[in-house]
Amino acid sequence: MWANVDWRGSLYPPHGGQQEWLSDYARVFSAVEGNTTFYSGAPKVETVASWARQAPADFRFCFKLPARLTHDARLVNVDAEVDTFLERLAPLHDRLGPLMVQLPRDFGAEELPQLDHLLSRWPAEIPCAVEVRHSDFFHKGSAEVMLNRLLISRGVDRVMLDVRPLFSTPAGSDPRLLKAQGEKPRRPLHVLSTGDRPLVRFIGHVDDAINERYFTAWAERLCLWIKQGKSPFLFVHTADNRHAPQLARRLHDEVASRLGQATIGAFSGEAQATLF
């Protein structure tokens, strides 16, 4: 996200309105996870036009499909609404990263045909990533095999939700951890790239030392994907997101130092190191 008042005085100037926040954000980071569409649906035409004016050409928006389609309708009879949603984002089509299809926790293997239908109609020019939360998709059994085969066949990435830092300690009496641990699904991490744009959602702890310890293996994997010509996306959250920008910067710098700045600069287009 980019609209967070807690970032005034750090990522954003201490005073002034929110009109320039996206521009300020895009000067530091090259992609954003757009949660507003998940809760509010398709943005207004004038809102999309404003985003298009503020975002540079190499910036990537990664919006979520509205919950009305994924959670309420469970992808049944949503073709027209999906088309309308994608059409509304048309001014940003050259700046769309993977749009995320986040599925409910009880969306299981028996509903994969609905997902397959959605992906069969998905425009080839718009990247897509799917986040599943049903426990059946995390046991390396038949359900997970079917899911991964579907995503690979459609060239769609599977979102990797890493909640290990968040759940690495009991919440105790910390209200930030209590809230975050209550909201996030506690699922195992399966690291795999089913498409060309691996997408990682890193849910951090309030303790930076814990976050950096869990990120070490990610730095190695991100470097590997980049060297393979893939374009990984890494989105960083913390329990209250107050210091998420600083954490994201440190994690980016760790990857950059491993690759070498000249190596990152050598990539072009979608193969560039689009980490945050």
Side-chain angles (χ1 to χ4, degrees):
M1 59 181 178
W2 67 81
N4 189 329
V5 296
D6 290 332
W7 297 345
R8 280 178 168 156
S10 56
L11 185 62
Y12 303 134
H15 306 291
Q18 301 183 13
Q19 295 81 3
E20 303 301 319
W21 281 5
L22 175 56
S23 297
D24 291 338
Y25 178 98
R27 292 189 185 100
V28 179
F29 301 113
S30 58
V32 68
E33 177 185 314
N35 270 328
T36 55
T37 54
F38 181 77
Y39 298 105
S40 305
K44 296 178 180 179
V45 172
E46 55 268 28
T47 299
V48 176
S50 173
W51 292 343
R53 287 194 300 271
Q54 296 181 65
D58 59 351
F59 191 79
R60 295 294 178 265
F61 292 92
C62 300
F63 295 111
K64 289 183 180 178
L65 211 61
R68 153 86 187 88
L69 309 181
T70 56
H71 287 56
D72 297 339
R74 304 181 75 87
L75 302 184
V76 176
N77 298 324
V78 298
D79 290 359
E81 291 180 80
V82 170
D83 293 344
T84 299
F85 177 75
L86 297 178
E87 288 167 6
R88 187 67 59 83
L89 298 176
L92 299 171
H93 276 192
D94 62 331
R95 280 162 287 181
L96 290 180
L99 299 188
M100 285 178 272
V101 181
Q102 182 178 299
L103 297 172
R105 298 189 192 198
D106 60 348
F107 189 103
E110 71 281 358
E111 295 180 275
L112 285 179
Q114 287 97 277
L115 177 62
D116 187 25
H117 176 75
L118 171 74
L119 299 181
S120 72
R121 301 183 67 257
W122 197 270
E125 67 275 12
I126 299 178
C128 180
V130 172
E131 181 177 331
V132 293
R133 297 188 167 188
H134 196 293
S135 59
D136 285 352
F137 295 125
F138 295 89
H139 295 314
K140 300 184 179 179
S142 59
E144 185 168 15
V145 170
M146 285 191 293
L147 169 68
N148 291 340
R149 285 178 177 172
L150 168 60
L151 299 180
I152 291 170
S153 68
R154 298 294 184 188
V156 170
D157 288 282
R158 177 174 173 174
V159 175
M160 289 160 273
L161 180 67
D162 188 357
V163 296
R164 296 173 303 163
L166 175 63
F167 287 100
S168 62
T169 68
S173 60
D174 191 317
R176 299 167 297 173
L177 289 176
L178 284 168
K179 183 176 186 294
Q181 290 184 2
E183 292 175 346
K184 299 300 180 185
R186 192 167 188 171
R187 294 288 184 264
L189 173 66
H190 289 186
V191 179
L192 74 163
S193 174
T194 58
D196 294 329
R197 299 173 181 84
L199 194 153
V200 179
R201 300 181 66 225
F202 185 89
I203 314 299
H205 197 276
V206 294
D207 185 332
D208 278 348
I210 292 175
N211 294 329
E212 294 181 17
R213 183 172 75 245
Y214 277 99
F215 187 72
T216 299
W218 275 123
E220 296 175 0
R221 182 56 60 104
L222 290 165
C223 289
L224 174 62
W225 281 330
I226 292 169
K227 291 175 181 178
Q228 290 174 342
K230 294 178 182 284
S231 300
F233 285 74
L234 174 66
F235 294 113
V236 175
H237 303 263
T238 57
D240 61 5
N241 278 326
R242 186 180 298 272
H243 300 295
Q246 291 87 343
L247 175 61
R249 235 16 258 188
R250 288 199 302 274
L251 302 187
H252 174 275
D253 290 347
E254 182 175 344
V255 174
S257 67
R258 287 171 179 262
L259 287 173
Q261 201 62 39
T263 304
I264 289 183
F267 288 97
S268 60
E270 284 299 310
Q272 195 171 2
T274 311
L275 298 179
F276 305 100

